[in-house]
């Protein structure tokens, strides 16, 4: 690939983007390159990296708010938070293992991809934690949106728009986000031996109880052995995470076990084992297999997940596990990605979207890695894009 | 009150065609769906920002998405401004019409379409009230979390327009965090769906953009929202402190301790006195500031959390601690707080500000707020959501005295600028509307505003949707 631009400040980045706009050149925005396999393979005249714009700008634990430059390594952020007993509530997925990438994820990349993990179900996505941003638009103008307070309805919410825009609308230079206290303790209640449909029912029941289950996943027998070194109990594992003050967690865990234990074997793991399991779920451990076999990330209504899977199994070789109460399906295709088939089935069961997270470059070129949008939304999307990047400077990964 | 905030000059060509427009709208709507007699338009001339009023050209009261689309398509074709309206409870003039505008009122789109407890969603038409959602899902053990204080009257469509908050957003977030999908009619009448029962819609987060866009990007006719399991119990504790500074420091420590209470409400001395005189809630009158901290959960959990919170309060020299043993006592603690606006309205007219500041700035901003208002020779009472820094100073004045009214407005503007300068924002949950429109330049640079307006124009190139609001009137791109 072409030149790599590494500005050291927002002003320099703005100059580079202005120059590209004037020269009719395109730029591919990148953070730590750990999520680089997303979407269409990018063709651009140069790469614009955020690595030089790094460092925590402000952090007051009592306010539960941090401001950091976009190129700050995620590790540095998490370390600072850990020191004050806090964390990112949305639990960002680390894409390195599943996508076979290297390098250090950046906080800008986390928000640009709206990278959320299992706790997204209860604590919201990355975009829900993002309070304010600075970015450079395609005209080379530095723009500020949002702020550093939780409640802010002043003007249009460009913060949400830029979150998850995959570096196609602007170059993030600074992000301000809400953080949460780390829970004092955690426990995961495991219900064993349920099929996908029964597991979906159990997860829905648990989420409907006033027990503040923070994450709910179902790991079918085909993937069970890939978690915790094979130490999960016999049979498919339906796992429910409880976090908080120890007095509260133990009360809630007991209630859950009593309720769910009537129909299936129930056990529990605590603290480090529990946290480790959820990291593995978040980071898609079962499909970390050093292959290019297609992996889809499917988001549907929780009750539709197992139905989509059952219908697909009639026609394609797939392996799956479920997060988000059954609504997030991680799906590995044993052969071709079968994009059209998958998307037809999703539409049939109430709609949602499928993103091709991993596949060979040839496959990502041949099919739409991101869910194609219906016509009127696609037209609107294009107009929104032009309002931020009128000269088409930022490489188009999405469509 | 004298008017200091301008509206766009009505389009003369639209006013001249008034009769034709009404006749055309009558073809699109059933008779009961169109209001155009001047006498019948009066209820639509303002909202809860009552000092400004304008009679609209006509009011459409559609009962279906198709009718909304037909009216929008017509208005778009003939360049007629449109002002969407939910229940008209906006505190910033977000629903105030203008003489050349057709109001599209959503009050008759009031059906609850689906309650899906397995997926924890409710799908409702936009005119359903906020509280009606919670009421509808309550028998199944669920509730809808955002709870603006107007929740009895305000609609979910209006909540989405303003990204409304409430007392409990410290734990549950605001509307945007609880909204999963909408059916949206674009300005040209095109109907699109954004999101649904699944999480994180494909493509750009247009849903997040629409939420809080104050009716400028389209009209929401249906919404799918997250419903949550009702907590087993909720229990408040009341603290009295000598000074606002001590109360503020206690708030910061509670939050820093790792407990997220469901609400932390703050009242200063004038607010305590006003509320106690009205509600007889038994608030201590010998303290300078009062906090109500509420936690949720099972009895055991609440005991554990409250014990920690009381311990923190003691470290900050709390003078009064009132824990409650019964639902009656809990209700009494909340009664005073909930009657704050009504009680204040009994003793004076007031305007309610809505700036938000970082928590560390609370004591400073409170002190400066008092000084600013005193400088105008007026009084102020502070009642607000301390957990999230969303201030609600109530500036007391006499609305029949134009000089005092102008002073109150000027003091309010000073306070909002103070909030911005302290690292906060103009509005935490009420919206910009017309009220704060001309202060936007204090918070945003020209480039920031130009970018927002460019995104807005991507949805509505002719600036027909609620056009007098949010963005300063001068410096707009030529239509």
């Amino acid at each position: 690939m072409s030149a790599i631009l590494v500005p050291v400040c927002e002003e320099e980045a703005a100059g580079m983007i202005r120059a590209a706009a004037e020269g009719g050149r395109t730029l591919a925005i990148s953070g730590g390159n750990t999520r680089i396999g997303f979407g269409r393979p990018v063709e651009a005249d140069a790469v614009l990296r955020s690595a030089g714009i790094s460092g925590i700008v402000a952090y007051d634990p009592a306010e539960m708010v941090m401001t950091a430059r976009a190129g700050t390594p995620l590790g540095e952020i998490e370390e600072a938070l850990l020191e004050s007993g806090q964390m990112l509530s949305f639990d960002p997925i680390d894409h390195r293992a599943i996508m076979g990438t290297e390098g250090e994820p950046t906080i800008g990349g986390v928000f640009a991809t709206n990278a959320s993990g299992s706790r997204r179900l209860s604590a919201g996505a990355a975009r829900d934690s993002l309070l304010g941003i600075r970015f450079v638009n395609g005209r080379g103008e530095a723009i500020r949106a949002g702020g550093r307070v939780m409640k802010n309805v002043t003007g249009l919410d460009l913060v949400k728009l830029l979150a998850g825009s995959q570096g196609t609308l602007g170059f993030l230079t600074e992000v301000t986000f809400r953080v949460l206290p780390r829970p004092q303790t955690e426990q995961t209640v495991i219900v064993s031996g349920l099929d996908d449909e029964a597991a979906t029912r159990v997860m829905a029941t648990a989420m409907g109880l006033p027990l503040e289950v923070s994450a709910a996943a179902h790991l079918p027998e085909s993937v069970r052995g890939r978690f915790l070194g094979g130490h999960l109990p016999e049979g498919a594992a339906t796992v429910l995470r409880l976090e908080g003050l120890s007095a509260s967690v133990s009360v809630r865990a007991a209630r859950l076990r009593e309720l769910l234990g009537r129909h299936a074997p129930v056990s529990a793991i605590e603290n480090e084992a529990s946290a480790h399991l959820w990291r593995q779920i978040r980071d898609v451990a079962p499909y970390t297999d050093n292959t290019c076999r297609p992996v889809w990330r499917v988001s549907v209504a929780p009750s539709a997940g197992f139905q989509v899977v059952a219908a697909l199994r009639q026609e394609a070789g797939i392996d799956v596990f479920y997060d988000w109460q059954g609504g997030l399906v991680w799906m590995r295709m044993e052969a071709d990605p079968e994009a059209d088939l998958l998307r037809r089935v999703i539409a049939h069961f109430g709609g949602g979207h499928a993103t091709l997270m991993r596949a060979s470059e040839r496959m990502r070129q041949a099919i739409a890695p991101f869910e194609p949008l219906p016509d009127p939304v696609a037209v609107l999307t294009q107009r929104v894009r032009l309002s931020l990047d009128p000269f088409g400077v930022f490489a188009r990964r999405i469509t | 009150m004298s008017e200091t905030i301008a509206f766009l000059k009505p389009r003369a060509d639209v006013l001249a065609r008034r009769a034709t427009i009404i006749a055309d709208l009558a073809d699109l709507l059933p008779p009961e769906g169109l209001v155009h007699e001047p006498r019948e338009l009066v209820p639509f001339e303002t909202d809860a920002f009552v000092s400004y009023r304008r009679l609209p050209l006509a009011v459409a009261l559609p009962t279906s998405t198709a009718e909304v689309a037909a009216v929008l398509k017509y208005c778009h074709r003939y360049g007629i401004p449109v002002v969407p309206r939910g229940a008209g409870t906006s505190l910033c003039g977000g629903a105030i019409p203008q003489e050349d505008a057709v109001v599209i009122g959503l009050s008759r789109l009031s059906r609850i379409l689906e309650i899906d407890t397995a997926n924890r969603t409710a799908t409702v038409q936009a005119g359903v009230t906020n509280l009606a959602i919670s009421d509808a899902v309550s028998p199944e053990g669920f509730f809808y979390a955002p709870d603006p204080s107007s929740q009895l009257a305000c609609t979910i469509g209006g909540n989405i327009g303003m990204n409304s908050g409430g007392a409990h957003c410290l734990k549950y977030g605001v509307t945007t965090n609880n909204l999963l999908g909408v059916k949206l009619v674009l300005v040209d009448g095109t109907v699109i769906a954004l999101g649904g029962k699944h999480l994180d819609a494909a493509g750009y987060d247009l849903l997040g953009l629409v939420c809080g866009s104050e009716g400028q990007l389209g009209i929401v006719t249906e919404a799918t929202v997250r419903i949550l399991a009702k907590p087993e119990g909720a229990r408040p504790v009341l603290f009295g402190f000598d000074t606002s500074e001590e109360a503020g420091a206690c708030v910061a420590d509670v939050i820093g301790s790792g407990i997220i209470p469901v609400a932390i409400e703050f009242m200063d001395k004038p607010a305590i006195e006003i509320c106690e005189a009205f509600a007889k809630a038994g608030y201590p009158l010998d303290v300078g500031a009062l906090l109500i901290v509420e936690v949720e959960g099972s009895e055991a959990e609440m005991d554990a959390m409250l014990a920690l919170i009381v311990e923190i309060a003691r470290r900050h020299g709390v003078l009064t601690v009132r824990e409650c043993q019964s639902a009656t006592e809990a209700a009494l603690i909340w009664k005073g707080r909930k009657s704050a606006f009504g009680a204040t309205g009994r003793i004076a007219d007031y305007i309610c500000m809505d700036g938000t500041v970082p928590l560390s700035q609370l004591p400073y901003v409170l002190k400066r707020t008092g000084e600013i208002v005193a400088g105008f020779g007026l009084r102020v009472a502070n009642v607000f959501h301390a957990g999230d820094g969303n201030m609600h100073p109530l500036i007391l004045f006499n609305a029949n005295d134009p000089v005092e009214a102008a002073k109150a407005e000027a003091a309010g503007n000073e306070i909002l600028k103070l909030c911005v300068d302290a690292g906060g924002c103009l509005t935490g949950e009420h919206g910009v509307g017309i009220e704060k429109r001309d202060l936007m330049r204090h918070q945003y640079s020209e480039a920031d505003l130009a970018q927002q307006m460019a995104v807005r124009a991507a949805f509505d190139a002719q600036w027909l949707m609620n056009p007098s609001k949010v963005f300063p009137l001068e410096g707009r791109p030529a239509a």
Side-chain angles (χ1 to χ4, degrees):
Chain A
M1 180 100 122
S2 39
I4 296 177
L5 305 174
V6 191
V8 296
C9 64
E10 182 180 86
E11 206 184 325
E12 191 184 2
M16 289 167 170
I17 292 168
R18 261 195 311 275
E22 282 159 14
R25 292 190 303 277
T26 54
L27 301 172
I29 293 174
S30 102
N33 270 341
T34 66
R35 304 173 209 272
I36 204 68
F38 271 56
R40 291 242 197 263
V42 174
E43 285 168 32
D45 297 315
V47 174
L48 180 64
R49 292 202 61 183
S50 64
I53 306 177
S54 176
I56 294 170
V57 177
Y59 174 38
D60 180 353
E63 286 185 352
M64 300 196 295
V65 172
M66 180 185 272
T67 299
R69 297 193 185 94
T72 312
L74 182 60
E76 190 178 325
I77 304 267
E78 290 186 322
E79 198 173 310
L81 292 174
L82 186 61
E83 261 175 46
S84 297
Q86 297 188 331
M87 63 176 191
L88 295 171
S89 61
F90 55 89
D91 207 8
I93 170 177
D94 183 340
H95 283 98
R96 281 176 291 189
I98 176 76
M99 300 179 73
T101 51
E102 288 172 355
E104 286 297 318
T106 61
I107 192 68
V110 164
F111 287 108
T113 56
N114 193 24
S116 319
S118 302
R119 219 189 271 111
R120 194 262 172 266
L121 183 62
S122 60
R127 60 84 109 173
D128 292 290
S129 287
L130 191 59
L131 302 176
I133 52 174
R134 296 189 59 93
F135 68 98
V136 181
N137 67 16
R139 287 191 187 83
E141 298 164 332
I143 306 291
R144 191 172 60 94
R148 64 178 175 115
V149 289
M150 232 183 87
K151 275 163 92 175
N152 182 353
V153 294
T154 320
L156 269 188
D157 196 348
L158 300 186
V159 176
K160 299 282 185 304
L161 182 62
L162 269 284
S165 65
Q166 313 282 347
T168 62
L169 296 179
F171 179 65
L172 289 175
T173 56
E174 188 180 282
V175 289
T176 298
F177 45 94
R178 187 178 187 224
V179 299
L180 279 185
R182 291 184 84 78
Q184 197 181 68
T185 183
E186 72 168 275
Q187 239 188 81
T188 295
V189 172
I190 305 167
V191 187
S192 297
L194 302 179
D195 64 24
D196 294 2
E197 183 175 356
T200 302
R201 262 200 315 273
V202 160
M203 289 189 282
T205 303
M207 294 305 299
L209 295 169
L211 299 178
E212 300 199 10
V213 174
S214 65
H218 176 63
L219 316 172
E221 179 61 21
S222 65
V223 298
R224 179 182 59 94
R226 301 296 306 268
F227 292 98
L228 297 183
H231 290 307
L232 282 173
E234 204 60 30
T238 308
V239 290
L240 304 163
R241 189 179 198 180
L242 298 164
E243 301 172 279
L245 298 173
S246 21
S248 156
V249 168
S250 53
V251 170
R252 287 184 280 144
R255 292 271 301 279
L256 209 50
R257 293 181 67 160
E258 186 203 325
L259 229 94
L260 304 178
R262 289 172 201 158
H263 311 292
V266 175
S267 54
I269 52 175
E270 292 185 347
N271 298 322
E272 189 37 46
S274 166
H276 185 56
L277 172 68
W278 287 102
R279 273 195 302 276
Q280 291 187 312
I281 294 171
R282 180 194 74 186
D283 297 341
V284 204
Y287 306 142
T288 300
D289 49 13
N290 297 315
T291 73
C292 263
R293 272 188 286 178
V295 172
W296 288 96
R297 181 179 183 273
V298 176
S299 179
V300 291
S303 63
F306 79 91
Q307 301 181 67
V308 166
V309 169
L312 275 170
R313 283 219 165 101
Q314 311 286 323
E315 304 187 47
I318 57 173
D319 192 62
V320 303
F321 71 95
Y322 306 83
D323 200 347
W324 298 358
Q325 193 191 321
L328 176 68
V329 186
W330 286 105
M331 182 181 296
R332 185 179 63 193
M333 298 272 183
E334 303 311 333
D336 284 344
E338 303 286 1
D340 293 341
L341 170 66
L342 172 60
R343 288 178 170 139
R344 255 199 328 273
V345 172
I346 290 172
H348 177 78
F349 286 103
H353 52 96
T355 309
L356 185 59
M357 295 301 299
R358 183 183 75 189
S360 66
E361 212 170 290
R362 184 183 58 77
M363 280 175 182
R364 285 190 286 125
Q365 195 68 262
I367 61 172
F370 288 95
E371 186 75 27
L373 301 168
D375 277 345
V377 180
V379 169
L380 191 57
T381 293
Q382 174 69 355
R383 286 206 298 263
V384 168
R385 202 176 69 80
L386 289 174
S387 74
L388 283 126
D389 181 19
F391 311 114
V393 171
F394 302 126
R396 299 173 64 179
R397 291 188 172 89
I398 290 188
T399 48
Chain B
M1 193 193 262
S2 63
E3 289 201 351
T4 53
I5 303 169
F7 282 64
L8 283 172
K9 204 166 161 293
R11 300 182 187 209
D13 59 320
V14 173
L15 294 180
R17 283 185 286 128
R18 184 172 190 276
T20 316
I21 292 168
I22 289 167
D24 289 344
L25 288 174
D27 288 340
L28 301 175
L29 295 160
E32 67 279 13
L34 181 64
V35 178
H36 60 85
E37 294 291 342
R39 184 173 41 84
E40 294 174 353
L41 290 174
V42 172
F44 299 93
E45 67 177 355
T46 189
D47 54 23
F49 192 59
V50 290
S51 39
Y52 289 80
R53 43 194 81 209
R54 294 283 185 281
L55 275 190
L57 191 151
V59 176
L61 298 170
T63 51
S64 68
T65 300
E67 284 179 3
V68 173
V71 173
L72 272 173
K73 188 176 174 189
Y74 173 80
C75 291
H76 180 250
R77 181 166 171 203
Y78 293 104
I80 305 161
V82 170
V83 176
R85 184 182 180 96
T89 59
S90 173
L91 290 162
C92 64
I96 299 179
Q98 52 192 57
E99 295 90 336
D100 57 351
V102 172
V103 168
I104 299 186
L106 300 173
S107 54
R108 297 169 75 212
L109 279 166
S110 57
R111 278 189 305 132
I112 290 174
L113 301 174
E114 189 197 11
I115 293 166
D116 179 348
T117 54
N119 289 311
R120 293 178 299 127
T121 62
T123 301
V124 304
Q125 289 185 319
V128 170
T129 63
N130 175 292
L131 195 58
I133 302 178
S134 282
D135 285 347
V137 300
S138 177
E140 313 278 349
F142 290 85
F143 75 114
Y144 174 62
D147 59 343
S149 45
S150 56
Q151 69 178 158
L152 186 62
C154 64
T155 63
I156 190 68
N159 289 180
I160 294 168
M162 292 305 186
N163 189 14
S164 302
H168 293 86
C169 55
L170 184 56
K171 181 170 177 188
Y172 296 114
V174 295
T175 303
T176 191
N177 312 113
N178 291 276
L179 181 66
L180 296 171
V182 295
K183 189 177 273 186
L184 180 75
V185 187
L186 299 175
V187 69
D188 64 358
T190 308
V191 180
I192 63 171
L194 299 174
K197 291 181 183 178
H198 54 280
L199 294 174
D200 302 333
Y204 295 143
D205 189 1
L206 300 181
L207 183 63
L209 191 61
V210 164
C211 193
S213 63
E214 305 205 10
Q216 298 202 325
L217 303 188
I219 295 188
V220 170
T221 58
E222 287 177 25
T224 298
V225 298
R226 167 67 75 227
I227 53 173
L228 296 171
K230 268 192 287 189
E232 272 180 77
R235 207 193 300 158
V237 57
L238 180 146
F239 296 129
F241 291 91
D242 196 20
T243 65
S244 296
E245 284 78 7
E246 284 165 343
C250 178
V251 169
D253 261 13
V254 167
I255 287 176
S257 75
I259 307 165
I260 308 280
V262 70
I264 306 182
E265 297 290 298
F266 177 104
M267 298 167 81
D268 69 359
K269 194 168 182 67
I272 300 168
E273 285 167 359
I274 291 167
C275 293
E276 180 57 22
F278 177 78
K280 308 279 187 298
Y283 288 173
L285 293 171
D286 57 346
V287 298
L290 185 151
L291 292 180
I292 300 171
V293 183
E294 182 160 88
V295 297
E296 285 179 350
S298 65
E299 290 298 320
E301 289 170 82
M302 293 193 292
D303 284 344
M305 283 188 275
L306 285 174
L308 277 171
I309 291 169
V310 170
E311 190 189 310
I312 292 167
R314 293 206 194 282
R315 285 210 297 273
H316 290 280
V318 66
L319 298 177
T320 311
V321 177
R322 213 168 94 204
E323 297 188 71
C324 46
Q325 312 303 329
S326 68
T328 320
E329 285 177 35
L332 199 58
I333 287 182
W334 274 113
K335 188 180 170 202
R337 165 63 184 91
K338 287 188 172 166
S339 61
F341 289 13
T344 307
R346 276 194 343 149
I347 64 159
D349 300 300
Y350 67 87
I351 50 174
C352 172
M353 298 289 109
D354 180 43
T356 304
V357 299
L359 292 181
S360 60
Q361 299 294 309
L362 274 179
Y364 163 74
V365 171
L366 276 172
K367 185 164 146 285
R368 277 294 298 144
T369 296
E371 291 165 5
I372 287 169
V373 178
F376 283 94
L378 299 175
R379 286 190 302 151
V380 63
N382 282 288
V383 184
F384 62 92
H385 316 309
D388 51 36
N390 192 189
M391 320 261 306
H392 288 313
L394 305 176
I395 304 169
L396 313 185
F397 70 104
N398 175 3
N400 293 321
D401 177 345
V403 177
E404 231 181 58
K407 279 182 180 174
E409 209 173 293
N413 287 350
E414 288 300 305
I415 291 170
L416 293 184
K417 287 181 183 173
L418 166 71
C419 290
V420 172
D421 295 341
C425 65
L426 295 171
T427 172
E429 58 186 358
H430 296 173
V432 177
I434 54 165
E435 184 199 19
K436 301 163 206 98
R437 184 192 68 205
D438 297 332
L439 293 171
M440 286 287 273
R441 287 211 169 82
H442 196 78
Q443 180 165 336
Y444 293 112
S445 74
E446 287 301 323
D448 298 342
L449 279 179
Q451 182 62 76
Q452 289 187 30
M453 287 192 277
V455 172
R456 185 205 183 287
F459 285 76
D460 174 20
Q462 296 183 60
W463 283 71
L464 293 176
M465 301 290 301
N466 217 5
S468 287
K469 318 292 167 64
V470 186
F471 298 104
L473 299 184
E474 66 283 359
R476 289 186 178 183

